[in-house]
Amino acid sequence: MTNLTVLLVDDNPDDRALVERELKQHIEGVQVEHVGDPQALAAASERNRFDVVITDYHLRWSSGTEVLREMKRLFPDKPVIMFTGSGNEEVAVSAMKEGLDDYITKTAKHYPRIPYAVRACVDRSRQREQLSQALERETLAKVRLEIALASARMGTWQVDLQSNEVFYSSAIGPMFGRPEGFAHASFDDWLNDVHPDDRPGVTASWEAALDGERDYAARFRARGEDGHWRWIASSGRVIRSTRDDPKMVIGTARDVSDEVAVREELLRQQEELQTILNVLPVGVAISRDPRANSIMFTPYIADLLGIKPNLDISAGATDTSAQPFQSFRNGLEVPLEQLPMQHTARTGLDVRGEEIEARLRDGRTINLLVNTSPLRDKAGQVRGAVGAFMDVTSLKQTQRELETANRQKTEFLSVLSHELRNPVAAIGYAIELLRHVGSPEVIDKARAVIDRQTAHMGKLLDDLLDLSRITRNKIELELKPLDMRRVIELGYESAKPLIEPFGHEVAMNLPQSPIYVQGDEVRLTQVIANILGNAAKFTPPGGRIAIWAEAAGGKATIEITDNGIGIEPDKLDQVFEMFYQGQSKAGGGTIGLGIGLAVVRTLVGLHGGSVKADSEGSGRGARFRITLPLQSHAESHPSPQEPASRSARHGRILVADDNVDAADLLSDVLRMEGYTVCTAYDGRSAMQLAKEAPPHVAILDIGMPFATGNEVARWIREQAWGKGMTLVAVTGWGQAEDRNATAKSGFDVHLVKPVHASQIVRLISEALLGNIGGSAA
């Protein structure tokens, strides 16, 4: 016992000396501080350098009891010993009640007891202090545990394996929808509140813990008294007896319902995000590498490029042949370090809308639209990059097709302009010739030029109308049984003006038996004429064109072959596209509008057939093969039409058109044919002339001022004298809805401008003979 200091309070110096001698003889290193008056006691108390107090009972200025009280007030943990010769048992008992630690009678034989009493009191004091500190530490630990459990929303539980009793802390009850202080009656009672689906797992973990395999740990749903299911995470440890038998399980439990709900919500959001990524035509790549060497791809982009999702695309940087694909920008290969992801990781800059062409090992080429952004740490340093990749291959193809279509459209308009100017120029020359020369030969020549060029312009306009109908899907067919042999002959007749100038030889090889199909005679005739016209244009003068047909296998097959300039193999499908034009023409002149074969494919398709072009290449000619569904038994088939009689030369004709030149010229032609003609230039005048002298035939334009042709027709049909009149619409409007409108207005015939005068003359002759409509009374 070292560094011990004793405060010795006694007003007798001799007694203090005797006590000091005993202390120093038996306690090594003890220090004694003498107090003989109240001033010394006050100073010693102020210094507080002592460990134990020894006081006499009778003091000149006070008593030992007062000193005891003061010391216990100031220093409650320091022991006080009373050593006196004037006390008694009553004093001793009273002092003990005041907190005195020991009482020694001041006699000669009791002096040796003083060192032992000091030691005992100091030891007890220190033990009390240690115990107090231990209790304080335990209290603090308990408080910390309670705070930790409360912060974690955690409770403690205990299961006595001998009695099967369950003990809970106050926090457990609310986890089961019960008040604080609740505890299940037994382990089995608790297990009954565990969700049936979770019970096997909980039981297995409990039994493993009892067997000593591991600590108990389980997560389960617990049913509360309020009917709600809560998720609880529980863990515990088995306490064993000296014989290693399971004695008790102590553990904690925590309500993790909110955590489970958050995790399930995160999983749901991740699933939704993944579903969105799977649905969107966009792939995502992420690199958590400051150099973007290791890149993870979503399955969309990985499958697209034929690579693994976790590919390090820098792995073969020194050997580009080892890469799964090569990247190009504007036709130049892009080094790996300059790819968008690597560029963003290296520079920290975004990449927006960069197009990369990926050429894969299997020969495919994919166009990718790439956007990238850097990933940064808390310090703002680049730690990786993220990229979005969109496959725009089809968009690029569409763009190229649109550019091609736009170029073809421009070429088409240029050719159309040329094709329209040529006949206009020729007609102008013919008119100028008629103005200066009047010989019959010149007149015949000029008239032939005008007839030929107006027919050519009419054909151009028909092609343009077909183009409009195809674009708007407005082509309507008048289907009836047809003999394709006759259709081929009609098509040849239509194409003759294009074939004869080149001196081509045309050979037909048609079967003796009819080839019946269900079709529109006008449209199928147009198909044959267009292909023959195409063969005539692209075959050098003096060439050969062959037409062959047969009926076999439920199909009608027609082949038209020429020995012309041929078609390149990669252009065989393109020749049927709208506005496609060959690169050259064998016979000179323009190459056409690029509409004819597109019309052929559309019309054949509407008849349920197909058309195909074949050629062995440039200079090897071409063959067009048409197949149509065969009709084995025709309900009826037309016989060749006889030309209309031109003997009817008497009758009144009304011509109404706001185009004065057209109205006057047609009127003059009809007068030359012997008809009586009245001419009007608007709808109101037409009705007035018809009322004054009802005509046999009225030829009316539709778009006239004051009253349209349809309004004039309806008015005429309302008159008694107009019910049997033949009404002919001659108009620039030729769509199905236009024809329906004129039919409802009472017209018998609908002709689309330009119309050859001979066609009108023939139609009037048939009307006056009673073949069309009727005549006025």
Side-chain angles (χ1 to χ4, degrees):
M1 186 175 291
T2 58
N3 299 323
L4 177 65
T5 300
V6 177
L7 182 66
L8 183 57
V9 182
D10 197 327
D11 53 5
N12 187 332
D14 295 334
D15 288 346
R16 293 200 304 270
L18 291 173
V19 172
E20 180 178 8
R21 186 187 65 182
E22 289 293 332
L23 290 173
K24 289 187 175 181
Q25 284 181 352
H26 294 89
I27 301 176
E28 183 180 358
V30 67
Q31 299 293 324
V32 179
E33 186 175 354
H34 293 260
V35 172
D37 54 53
Q39 293 77 17
L41 180 61
S45 298
E46 180 71 23
R47 288 191 298 272
N48 187 21
R49 295 175 181 173
F50 54 90
D51 300 299
V52 64
V53 180
I54 300 176
T55 180
D56 190 10
Y57 179 71
H58 281 293
L59 301 169
R60 286 193 298 271
W61 73 89
S62 182
S63 68
T65 302
E66 291 298 326
V67 173
L68 169 65
R69 289 172 181 161
E70 183 65 13
M71 290 296 104
K72 289 299 181 181
R73 184 184 70 82
L74 294 174
F75 313 106
D77 295 329
K78 291 186 178 184
V80 179
I81 300 172
M82 189 174 288
F83 182 58
T84 180
S86 58
N88 53 42
E89 184 177 347
E90 183 179 351
V91 171
V93 171
S94 176
M96 289 294 183
K97 292 181 180 179
E98 297 284 349
L100 185 68
D101 292 276
D102 203 351
Y103 183 91
I104 302 174
T105 304
K106 188 184 291 186
T107 60
K109 67 178 181 179
H110 288 143
Y111 272 87
R113 281 189 58 201
I114 292 175
Y116 300 103
V118 169
R119 285 196 186 96
C121 286
V122 171
D123 287 342
R124 286 197 300 271
S125 176
R126 289 179 176 176
Q127 288 174 357
R128 284 197 301 270
E129 183 179 0
Q130 291 172 354
L131 178 60
S132 175
Q133 291 175 351
L135 290 174
E136 183 178 357
R137 287 195 298 271
E138 182 179 349
T139 301
L140 289 174
K142 184 177 180 181
V143 170
R144 291 192 191 99
L145 177 61
E146 290 176 351
I147 292 174
L149 291 174
S151 299
R153 298 171 61 187
M154 188 178 291
T156 60
W157 53 266
Q158 178 179 321
V159 178
D160 188 326
L161 298 176
Q162 306 302 319
S163 65
N164 203 27
E165 290 183 281
V166 179
F167 304 93
Y168 290 156
S169 68
S170 60
I172 297 291
M175 297 183 191
F176 290 89
R178 308 292 182 95
E180 294 184 356
F182 164 80
H184 285 95
S186 65
F187 175 81
D188 294 333
D189 187 33
W190 164 78
L191 193 61
N192 286 334
D193 278 344
V194 175
H195 195 284
D197 293 344
D198 302 334
R199 206 171 292 159
V202 171
T203 303
S205 180
W206 183 265
E207 292 176 350
L210 296 182
D211 292 341
E213 297 177 9
R214 58 181 179 273
D215 287 341
Y216 164 74
R219 179 172 290 205
F220 54 87
R221 286 162 287 180
R223 180 184 57 204
E225 189 179 34
D226 54 7
H228 294 162
W229 290 95
R230 296 173 175 83
W231 278 97
I232 295 177
S234 179
S235 60
R237 178 165 294 179
V238 178
I239 306 299
R240 298 182 179 275
S241 67
T242 55
R243 294 181 300 176
D244 202 32
D245 295 327
K247 178 181 179 182
M248 183 181 300
V249 184
I250 300 175
T252 61
R254 184 164 60 95
D255 186 342
V256 294
S257 300
D258 292 343
E259 296 176 17
V260 171
V262 169
R263 186 174 67 254
E264 290 178 347
E265 176 63 18
L266 288 174
L267 289 174
R268 185 185 65 79
Q269 292 178 359
Q270 289 175 355
E271 290 175 355
E272 291 178 354
L273 178 59
Q274 187 60 52
T275 301
I276 291 171
L277 290 176
N278 292 339
V279 170
L280 290 175
V282 177
V284 177
I286 185 170
S287 175
R288 298 179 178 88
D289 178 352
R291 294 182 297 175
N293 285 337
S294 179
I295 301 176
M296 292 190 303
F297 292 95
T298 55
Y300 170 86
I301 197 69
D303 292 343
L304 187 67
L305 297 176
I307 59 179
K308 297 179 181 179
N310 296 323
L311 177 70
D312 181 355
I313 63 170
S314 69
T318 58
D319 180 12
T320 57
S321 63
Q323 294 297 313
F325 61 89
Q326 292 177 284
S327 301
F328 290 80
R329 183 191 297 119
N330 299 325
L332 299 177
E333 187 169 2
V334 183
L336 289 172
E337 67 275 7
Q338 294 181 15
L339 288 172
M341 292 279 288
Q342 284 79 357
H343 174 79
T344 292
R346 188 177 70 254
T347 64
L349 300 176
D350 293 337
V351 173
R352 292 292 180 265
E354 180 167 332
E355 290 186 13
I356 292 293
E357 182 183 283
R359 299 179 185 177
L360 310 185
R361 288 181 177 177
D362 60 8
R364 291 182 298 134
T365 297
I366 297 174
N367 296 100
L368 297 173
L369 185 66
V370 185
N371 291 285
T372 63
S373 291
L375 295 174
R376 299 183 184 275
D377 57 22
K378 293 182 179 179
Q381 299 298 313
V382 176
R383 63 178 180 86
V386 64
F389 296 75
M390 176 182 288
D391 180 7
V392 294
T393 306
S394 59
L395 293 178
K396 294 294 290 184
Q397 179 62 28
T398 301
Q399 179 183 355
R400 288 190 289 268
E401 290 173 356
L402 289 174
E403 290 172 351
T404 300
N406 186 62
R407 184 180 65 255
Q408 290 177 342
K409 180 191 71 174
T410 302
E411 294 172 355
F412 163 77
L413 292 175
S414 176
V415 173
L416 175 62
S417 173
H418 184 274
E419 290 284 341
L420 289 175
R421 285 193 182 98
N422 279 345
V424 169
I427 292 171
Y429 297 151
I431 293 172
E432 189 66 23
L433 185 63
L434 290 174
R435 185 179 291 119
H436 292 87
V437 181
S439 66
E441 294 81 5
V442 172
I443 293 174
D444 289 343
K445 182 178 181 180
R447 184 171 60 188
V449 169
I450 292 173
D451 284 344
R452 188 164 56 251
Q453 297 303 325
T454 53
H456 179 59
M457 292 184 69
K459 179 64 168 59
L460 289 175
L461 294 176
D462 286 341
D463 285 346
L464 292 174
L465 287 173
D466 284 338
L467 170 62
S468 174
R469 294 187 186 105
I470 290 173
T471 303
R472 300 170 58 199
N473 197 24
K474 292 291 187 179
I475 291 182
E476 296 183 359
L477 302 179
E478 296 180 6
L479 299 177
K480 61 181 179 180
L482 300 175
D483 183 354
M484 281 305 297
R485 297 178 304 170
R486 170 175 167 75
V487 172
I488 292 171
E489 292 171 351
L490 292 174
Y492 171 64
E493 289 296 326
S494 297
K496 244 182 181 182
L498 291 174
I499 297 173
E500 290 180 344
F502 295 107
H504 297 317
E505 175 189 348
V506 179
M508 288 193 191
N509 183 9
L510 305 180
Q512 296 296 320
S513 301
I515 305 175
Y516 287 120
V517 299
Q518 190 77 4
D520 184 312
E521 184 176 77
V522 173
R523 291 305 187 180
L524 289 180
T525 299
Q526 184 180 0
V527 167
I528 301 300
N530 282 6
I531 295 178
L532 287 173
N534 196 72
K537 288 191 295 182
F538 291 97
T539 299
R544 187 176 187 276
I545 300 173
I547 307 172
W548 170 85
E550 73 167 2
K555 294 182 179 180
T557 304
I558 303 98
E559 285 190 359
I560 299 175
T561 308
D562 64 62
N563 62 348
I565 63 174
I567 306 170
E568 295 295 337
D570 59 340
K571 300 290 193 287
L572 289 173
D573 290 332
Q574 296 182 33
V575 296
F576 294 105
E577 294 178 2
M578 193 67 71
F579 304 138
Y580 178 80
Q581 298 163 330
Q583 297 303 309
S584 62
K585 195 176 88 169
T590 57
I591 57 179
L593 300 179
I595 296 175
L597 293 182
V599 171
V600 166
R601 181 171 63 179
T602 299
L603 294 178
V604 172
L606 290 174
H607 282 81
S610 63
V611 60
K612 180 182 179 183
D614 287 311
S615 176
E616 295 181 1
S618 179
R620 306 295 296 273
R623 179 175 66 254
F624 287 82
R625 184 183 182 92
I626 302 167
T627 58
L628 296 167
L630 195 63
Q631 181 169 310
S632 57
H633 300 288
E635 296 176 1
S636 62
H637 55 277
S639 57
Q641 298 292 323
E642 295 295 332
S645 171
R646 299 179 57 86
S647 61
R649 288 292 184 268
H650 302 289
R652 295 187 302 277
I653 311 297
L654 172 62
V655 175
D657 195 328
D658 59 343
N659 186 324
V660 176
D661 289 340
D664 288 344
L665 287 173
L666 179 58
S667 297
D668 290 342
V669 169
L670 296 179
R671 289 189 185 97
M672 292 172 63
E673 292 290 332
Y675 298 111
T676 300
V677 182
C678 296
T679 308
Y681 308 113
D682 61 73
R684 187 186 303 162
S685 299
M687 288 188 284
Q688 183 63 35
L689 290 175
K691 182 178 180 180
E692 294 174 356
H696 297 92
V697 179
I699 301 172
L700 307 176
D701 182 28
I702 298 301
M704 294 186 293
F706 304 120
T708 66
N710 286 327
E711 291 172 340
V712 174
R714 286 193 292 270
W715 178 82
I716 289 176
R717 291 305 187 200
E718 291 172 355
Q719 313 306 316
W721 45 264
K723 297 186 183 301
M725 186 184 303
T726 299
L727 300 182
V728 180
V730 179
T731 175
W733 305 102
Q735 301 297 328
E737 55 267 29
D738 303 317
R739 295 179 183 274
N740 290 335
T742 55
K744 290 179 180 179
S745 298
F747 281 97
D748 298 296
V749 180
H750 184 113
L751 300 178
V752 180
K753 296 178 180 178
V755 183
H756 201 280
S758 61
Q759 184 179 358
I760 296 178
V761 170
R762 184 169 60 252
L763 189 148
I764 292 173
S765 176
E766 292 178 356
L768 294 177
L769 291 174
N771 295 330
I772 299 176
S775 59

